């Protein structure tokens, strides 16, 4: 979002509404094929696990309307077919508002409003709930996930602004080495903290550390990030990460149904990771296969309903 707003041309007040709608439509189109696969695969898993008959399936489909449309974070309850997508719902509710401020008052918003609002929102969540696990808690006018997503997006705006500023600076090799150590070192610390303190007591600390990692990584001055980018297919990793996020939610039901006697946490975790990996690979293969078939047939009209046109 920040990158789109930063790279857009001069803001036209008379067309800002339509520009925002087009921006959101692009976001939806980018994730739609992955989301459709995740929804279908999750629906099959749910039916296999619970043994739904046709009547129950019809009821489930009716109750899943608002979660499927990713608007239930506004207060429209229902049955989640795809697990763990509350953050997508909350993010899509917050994005249009933040995008408008980015386009109209970019400098003031990025350097003043975004960091202060991030501190206040994260601070409120931490003080009121003792951690950031409030995604599905109703807080009076919306779900807590909306506040959490807004804080994350605002933090991202500030981090992207700082990283773009660093990218324009002519730094010495010593400065780049420091940023590289800050990048990789902070990331390693985050991984260690997630293992030794899995509870929500250090959520605020983790948010700050991840903000440092993101800023250093996107600055273009980190030797470690540049090294990994050189040898890794970033496009493939991006696709796979989306597939993992959307497809992993219902994998636990497979383990519960077909491996109910396994009590070892390490074994269950290993099976969960393997199953999530395989389902995500299947997602990437099928989505890319559909993309390829549509291309070979002359870029048919329905292709652009699911995929954005490639820029030449």
């Amino acid at each position: 979002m920040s990158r789109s707003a930063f790279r857009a041309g001069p803001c036209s007040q008379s067309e800002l509404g339509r520009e925002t709608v087009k921006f959101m439509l692009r976001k939806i189109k980018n994730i739609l094929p992955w989301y459709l696969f995740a929804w279908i695969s999750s629906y099959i898993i749910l039916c296999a696990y619970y043994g739904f008959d046709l009547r129950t399936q019809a009821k489930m489909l009716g109750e899943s309307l608002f979660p499927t449309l990713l608007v239930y974070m506004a207060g429209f309850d229902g049955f989640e077919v795809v697990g763990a997508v509350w953050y997508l719902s909350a993010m899509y509710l917050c994005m249009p508002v933040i995008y408008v401020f980015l386009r109209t008052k970019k400098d003031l918003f990025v350097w003043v409003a975004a960091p202060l609002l991030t501190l206040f929102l994260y601070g409120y969540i931490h003080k009121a709930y003792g951690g950031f696990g409030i995604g599905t808690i109703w807080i009076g006018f919306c779900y807590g996930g909306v506040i959490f997503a807004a804080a994350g997006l605002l933090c991202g705006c500030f981090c992207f602004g700082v990283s773009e500023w660093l990218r324009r600076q002519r730094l010495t090799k010593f400065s780049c080495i420091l940023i590289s150590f800050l990048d990789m070192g902070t990331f390693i610390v985050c991984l260690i903290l997630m293992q030794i303190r899995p509870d929500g007591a250090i959520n605020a600390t983790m948010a700050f550390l991840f903000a440092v990692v993101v800023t250093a990584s996107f600055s273009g001055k980190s030797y470690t990030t540049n090294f990994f980018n050189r040898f890794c297919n970033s496009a493939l990793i991006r696709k796979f990460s989306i597939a993992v996020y959307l497809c992993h939610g219902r994998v636990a039901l497979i383990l519960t149904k077909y491996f109910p006697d396994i009590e070892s946490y390490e074994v269950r975790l290993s099976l969960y990771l393997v199953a999530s990996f395989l389902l995500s690979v299947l997602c990437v293969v099928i989505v890319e296969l559909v993309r390829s078939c549509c291309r070979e047939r002359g870029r048919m009209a329905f292709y652009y309903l699911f995929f954005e046109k490639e820029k030449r």
Side-chain angles (χ1 to χ4, degrees):
M1 180 181 64
S2 298
R3 179 175 295 175
S4 299
F6 270 63
R7 294 181 178 179
C11 176
S12 173
Q13 294 290 342
S14 61
E15 298 182 358
L16 183 57
R18 281 173 290 179
E19 178 188 331
T20 305
V21 171
K22 290 179 181 179
F23 165 77
M24 291 305 302
L25 289 176
R26 288 198 303 271
K27 289 294 181 182
I28 294 171
K29 284 201 298 182
N30 286 339
I31 204 170
L32 183 58
W34 314 96
Y35 183 67
L36 286 176
F37 177 90
W39 195 96
I40 294 171
S41 61
S42 297
Y43 180 79
I44 294 173
I45 292 172
L46 286 169
C47 290
Y49 180 77
Y50 291 108
F52 288 150
D53 54 26
L54 292 177
R55 184 176 180 179
T56 307
Q57 289 185 42
K59 182 181 178 181
M60 181 180 70
L61 288 174
E63 293 177 349
S64 68
L65 175 62
F66 293 117
T68 299
L69 296 177
L70 298 178
V71 296
Y72 74 108
M73 278 286 110
F76 301 99
D77 294 328
F79 182 82
E80 279 189 76
V81 175
V82 182
V85 293
W86 62 265
Y87 189 76
L88 280 179
S89 174
M91 187 173 62
Y92 284 153
L93 291 174
C94 297
M95 266 189 174
V97 177
I98 296 177
Y99 182 81
V100 168
F101 282 108
L102 274 174
R103 293 291 287 128
T104 53
K105 303 289 184 181
K106 182 173 65 176
D107 193 73
L108 179 64
F109 185 78
V110 168
W111 295 104
V112 180
L116 288 177
L117 287 172
T118 299
L119 290 175
F120 280 120
L121 291 177
Y122 275 149
Y124 164 74
I125 297 172
H126 182 73
K127 185 68 174 179
Y129 299 96
F132 291 172
I134 64 168
T136 55
I137 297 177
W138 182 254
I139 59 174
F141 61 95
C142 67
Y143 280 102
V146 177
I147 305 299
F148 179 70
L153 289 170
L154 290 165
C155 183
C157 292
F158 176 67
C159 292
F160 188 79
V162 175
S163 67
E164 286 293 289
W165 178 83
L166 285 172
R167 186 183 294 274
R168 294 192 299 269
Q169 306 307 307
R170 299 181 62 182
L171 302 181
T172 63
K173 288 187 177 181
F174 177 74
S175 298
C176 293
I177 291 173
L178 287 179
I179 292 176
S180 303
F181 275 109
L182 188 66
D183 180 12
M184 183 56 65
T186 308
F187 182 73
I188 293 173
V189 170
C190 289
L191 293 178
I192 294 174
L193 289 177
M194 284 191 291
Q195 295 300 316
I196 64 177
R197 291 296 301 273
D199 53 63
I202 60 170
N203 283 160
T205 304
M206 294 291 292
F208 171 77
L209 293 176
F210 272 121
V212 173
V213 172
V214 169
T215 303
S217 298
F218 281 86
S219 67
K221 305 297 183 181
S222 171
Y223 292 137
T224 52
T225 300
N226 293 338
F227 174 80
F228 286 116
N229 287 340
R230 185 179 304 172
F231 294 99
C232 297
N233 188 329
S234 58
L236 180 61
I237 292 175
R238 182 169 61 251
K239 295 171 185 176
F240 187 72
S241 63
I242 295 174
V244 170
Y245 174 73
L246 290 173
C247 295
H248 82 280
R250 298 301 183 186
V251 171
L253 296 180
I254 300 176
L255 302 183
T256 303
K257 182 175 180 62
Y258 296 104
F259 304 97
D261 300 327
I262 298 178
E263 298 182 356
S264 171
Y265 170 78
E266 290 76 12
V267 175
R268 291 185 67 85
L269 177 61
S270 299
L271 289 173
Y272 180 82
L273 293 175
V274 170
S276 298
F277 175 80
L278 293 176
L279 187 59
S280 301
V281 170
L282 182 63
C283 175
V284 173
V285 170
I286 290 180
V287 170
E288 289 302 308
L289 183 62
V290 172
R291 188 195 300 267
S292 176
C293 291
C294 291
R295 284 201 189 106
E296 291 174 0
R297 296 187 180 186
R299 301 184 181 275
M300 292 177 290
F302 73 88
Y303 171 80
Y304 295 118
L305 178 64
F306 300 101
F307 302 99
E308 190 174 3
K309 291 183 179 180
E310 292 184 351
K311 297 179 180 179
R312 296 185 179 275

